[in-house]
Amino acid sequence: MTEAKRKTVIAGNWKMNKTRKEAKELTDAVLKGMQKLENLPEVVLFPPFTCLDVVAGSAQNTAVKFGGQNLDSHDSGAFTGEISAPMLVDIGANYVIIGHSERRQFFGETNQTVPLKVKAALNHNLIPVICVGELLDERENNLTDPVVKRQVGAAVSGLSEAELQKIVIAYEPVWAIGTGKVCEAAEAARVIGVIRVTLKQFLTDKDMVQKIPILYGGSMNAKNADELLAQGEIDGGLIGGASLKADEFLSIIGSACKRSRLSVAKA
Ligand code: PGA
């Protein structure tokens, strides 16, 4: 098994943006643009909860997948304001983002809550996109690797080997998110390598680690996507700001098509 066989994933994290009308326009424009592309990666949209049904309607019978930006670890109950895995499944979602740095920073997400949510997602066959990444202060103090290792270990330590093969990880250095300061491609690839070594510790069949897609996130855009996605270790992107405009997002999908084409050629 070689890294070339991993799935490439281009995911748009819309965060708290878009009305339903805007969501439909954006989804339809992305779908239209994708028709002109070949060797497409897996394209996943993460709209706010209020737009999930609109995106579901447009994405029906297409290759585009979608998911929630968060979920609660319980299936149902007295948890005002929360959304559960069965609810996401009910609306047709395939994916869910877990442990995004904004949730860690503003909404009390921790290395204790993340694994509960990962388990809830997997129990309902949702693919968790587990976000990890260091703060600027941690990077400046040479703590990037231990922080990321701890976050990854916490998120996956309770998973079976079969479950481990169903996850996606996104390496998102917090200082690069929404700042326009992208992590250098070689450095992003290096940290992703550290994540892969960390994941190996939880697998008996070490080769299985080559099946787990690891994305980069943090100011990825139409200009830098080619360079980032040319790194063999970087299996795609979790894209915030640049996923809000169809043209820019399509350009990043185009960069991923080149990577997918190379993968097909190598496989
Ligand atoms: P950004 O966000 O692309 O706007 O930096 C990425 C993310 O938060 O997932």
Side-chain angles (χ1 to χ4, degrees), residues 13 15 100-102 172 176-179 217-220 238-242:
N13 174 11
K15 309 193 180 186
H100 190 278
S101 66
E102 286 149 20
E172 299 206 303
I177 295 180
T179 57
S219 297
M220 190 187 269
L238 180 56
I239 298 128

Side-chain angles (χ1 to χ4, degrees), residues 17 27 38 52 54 76 78 87 94 106 129 133 139 141 147 169 184 208 216 225 235 239 242 246 264:
N17 294 291
T27 309
E38 284 175 11
L52 277 168
V54 175
S76 62
M87 292 170 180
N94 297 99
F106 305 125
V129 178
R139 172 158 286 266
N141 286 291
V147 165
I169 294 200
E184 277 185 22
M208 285 301 158
Y216 168 78
D235 300 320
I239 298 128
V264 170

Side-chain angles (χ1 to χ4, degrees), residues 83-106:
I83 297 276
S84 71
M87 292 170 180
L88 288 173
V89 171
D90 184 43
I91 207 155
N94 297 99
Y95 283 82
V96 61
I97 296 174
I98 297 177
H100 190 278
S101 66
E102 286 149 20
R103 304 254 10 134
R104 291 182 193 254
Q105 200 179 343
F106 305 125

Side-chain angles (χ1 to χ4, degrees), residues 58-98:
S58 288
Q60 205 174 20
N61 301 322
T62 75
V64 167
K65 304 272 198 301
F66 60 92
Q69 296 174 12
N70 176 38
L71 88 178
D72 191 88
S73 57
H74 302 87
D75 282 359
S76 62
F79 300 101
T80 301
E82 294 296 283
I83 297 276
S84 71
M87 292 170 180
L88 288 173
V89 171
D90 184 43
I91 207 155
N94 297 99
Y95 283 82
V96 61
I97 296 174
I98 297 177

Side-chain angles (χ1 to χ4, degrees), residues 5-63:
K5 294 209 178 151
R6 282 195 295 273
K7 162 165 90 170
T8 305
V9 181
I10 295 295
N13 174 11
W14 296 0
K15 309 193 180 186
M16 199 174 72
N17 294 291
K18 303 292 175 191
T19 61
R20 290 160 58 79
K21 182 169 172 285
E22 290 164 347
K24 180 163 172 41
E25 284 165 5
L26 177 55
T27 309
D28 290 346
V30 169
L31 281 163
K32 193 163 171 225
M34 281 171 61
Q35 285 171 6
K36 298 184 198 123
L37 300 172
E38 284 175 11
N39 299 306
L40 283 162
E42 174 114 311
V43 175
V44 191
L45 303 179
F46 290 100
F49 292 131
T50 50
C51 298
L52 277 168
D53 67 330
V54 175
V55 173
S58 288
Q60 205 174 20
N61 301 322
T62 75

Side-chain angles (χ1 to χ4, degrees), residues 10 33 43 52 84 90 97 117 123 125 133 135 137-138 142 178-179 183 186 227 237 254 260:
I10 295 295
V43 175
L52 277 168
S84 71
D90 184 43
I97 296 174
K117 294 185 174 199
N123 283 345
N125 281 326
L135 303 167
D137 182 52
E138 291 165 337
N142 289 325
T179 57
C183 183
E227 193 188 349
S260 306

